[in-house]
Amino acid sequence: MYALPRCIQPVYAPILHPKYLNRTRVPSPCPSSGWTRSFHASQNLRIHQLAFDHHDNGGKATGSPIVILHGLFGSKKNNRSMSKALARDLSRPVYALDLRNHGNSPHDSTHNYTALAEDTEAFLQQHKLKDSTLIGHSMGAKTVMTMALRDPDCCSNIIAVDNAPVDAALASDFPRYVEGMRKVEEGRVKSQKEADAILEPYAKDLPVRQFLLTNLIRPSPSEPLKFRIPVRTLANALDDMADFPFTNPDERRFNKRALFVRGTKSHYVTDETLPIIGRFFPRFELVDVEAGHWVISENPESFRRGKPQRLL
């Protein structure tokens, strides 16, 4: 399967979208007084050290770094194959992160894009990563967009996979997934098979259930399986995951290169969002990949072929 040619320019050329630059102002702009520059925590947030995997192709990857962020209910493991491929193909070190409340990273009752951005900004500072390419899928996409608008100097460019810088309700699937995961924990299951049977009414597609069930762990041999992610915390954060911290592109803008990749079967980046993307990210380029929302895992080869080499 190949990336669909919705954009006229070739994938490998940076593109400017001037027709999106002079649209009407986004309504109800919010004041930016709460914005803080990169690497400086706001007073109300606690910064967490994030778990990560480092891929450097056996020490041969020496270029500028790539940092890749997963989506909601995911982890760094979701991006392991792609991270290895990018490190090998581009000779650039790749850092695949676990965002807070996911994977092996710490849990916190606060889960919004400002918190996710500040954790990741601190990671860049701690590991002295400069001129990075930030890649994020879904929740990770809004996180890298938030970082780019908070402090454009924090990275060289961004790749946002299947999300847009707008307030938009999550698909109704996500609340069902949360309910299903709660039922699994209430069932005190002893096996993946039992968990899958309980989850099936809430997630009909087997690949989605398999994805969600990667979060199941057994705390000890005698205990039932449980999710390593804090299901209740993430359930309470679903509204925050639908929001975007910035509403006025006249106040915050990222004038470096930005690639937006969307799945052709997904609704998260509609044509109606393109003018807003163009105002926040005036040098953005759009690439479509034949896939649903989980673009990288559903169609990794098209994602790899569709990446702009001059951006990466």
Side-chain angles (χ1 to χ4, degrees):
M1 293 186 289
Y2 293 87
L4 300 184
R6 272 198 219 171
C7 61
I8 298 174
Q9 288 283 346
V11 171
Y12 301 97
I15 182 171
L16 182 68
H17 290 264
K19 68 180 180 179
Y20 298 138
L21 299 184
N22 298 313
R23 297 300 180 93
T24 57
R25 186 184 182 100
V26 176
S28 303
C30 293
S32 59
S33 59
W35 178 78
T36 53
R37 286 189 61 79
S38 177
F39 312 139
H40 295 275
S42 63
Q43 294 180 349
N44 296 326
L45 296 177
R46 179 171 55 180
I47 300 298
H48 292 289
Q49 290 195 2
L50 302 178
F52 69 99
D53 286 338
H54 179 216
H55 306 277
D56 64 357
N57 195 27
K60 298 176 184 178
T62 57
S64 56
I66 296 171
V67 177
I68 185 166
L69 308 182
H70 59 81
L72 188 61
F73 308 137
S75 73
K76 61 183 181 293
K77 290 183 178 180
N78 303 142
N79 295 312
R80 180 171 294 166
S81 297
M82 184 59 62
S83 297
K84 290 180 178 179
L86 293 176
R88 181 186 66 246
D89 295 347
L90 302 175
S91 192
R92 294 177 59 177
V94 179
Y95 296 79
L97 274 55
D98 279 338
L99 295 171
R100 64 167 58 195
N101 293 317
H102 290 77
N104 296 319
S105 285
H107 295 178
D108 195 298
S109 59
T110 300
H111 193 89
N112 57 47
Y113 289 114
T114 300
L116 295 172
E118 291 197 347
D119 287 347
T120 309
E121 290 163 357
F123 180 89
L124 296 179
Q125 183 186 51
Q126 177 186 0
H127 295 273
K128 297 180 172 59
L129 303 183
K130 298 181 179 180
D131 299 321
S132 299
T133 293
L134 305 180
I135 303 176
H137 167 250
S138 192
M139 177 181 73
K142 279 192 172 180
T143 301
V144 302
M145 285 185 263
T146 299
M147 293 171 64
L149 294 174
R150 279 164 56 89
D151 183 4
D153 291 333
C154 77
C155 62
S156 176
N157 43 58
I158 68 167
I159 298 178
V161 183
D162 215 52
N163 219 334
V166 296
D167 292 349
L170 297 179
S172 59
D173 295 341
F174 284 93
R176 289 202 301 270
Y177 299 159
V178 168
E179 185 178 358
M181 287 188 283
R182 284 178 169 175
K183 294 294 185 183
V184 169
E185 289 195 325
E186 291 170 3
R188 300 180 60 82
V189 299
K190 297 291 188 179
S191 69
Q192 288 267 345
K193 185 177 180 180
E194 289 180 66
D196 183 71
I198 294 174
L199 190 58
E200 185 174 6
Y202 304 92
K204 297 293 186 182
D205 294 335
L206 178 60
V208 173
R209 296 200 305 277
Q210 291 173 333
F211 164 73
L212 296 174
L213 293 175
T214 60
N215 289 293
L216 272 184
I217 59 171
R218 191 183 304 277
S220 71
S222 60
E223 293 185 54
L225 295 171
K226 64 176 292 185
F227 287 99
R228 62 182 174 181
I229 57 175
V231 175
R232 187 172 298 277
T233 296
L234 295 178
N236 293 336
L238 289 180
D239 286 343
D240 287 322
M241 294 296 92
D243 291 342
F244 188 67
F246 299 98
T247 59
N248 188 357
D250 292 332
E251 294 181 357
R252 301 294 173 203
R253 189 167 294 158
F254 183 72
N255 290 311
K256 299 178 181 179
R257 292 172 296 171
L259 175 69
F260 282 74
V261 181
R262 63 179 177 181
T264 58
K265 303 172 186 176
S266 175
H267 73 279
Y268 281 96
V269 186
T270 64
D271 289 344
E272 289 74 19
T273 64
L274 299 184
I276 299 175
I277 293 173
R279 293 187 65 199
F280 277 122
F281 303 93
R283 294 181 63 188
F284 91 101
E285 181 180 354
L286 177 69
V287 171
D288 289 342
V289 172
E290 188 176 347
H293 181 56
W294 282 276
V295 176
I296 299 175
S297 60
E298 290 182 44
N299 200 342
E301 286 307 307
S302 284
F303 179 81
R304 286 179 62 195
R305 287 196 301 267
K307 68 183 185 295
Q309 296 286 0
R310 289 169 63 178
L311 180 62
L312 284 171

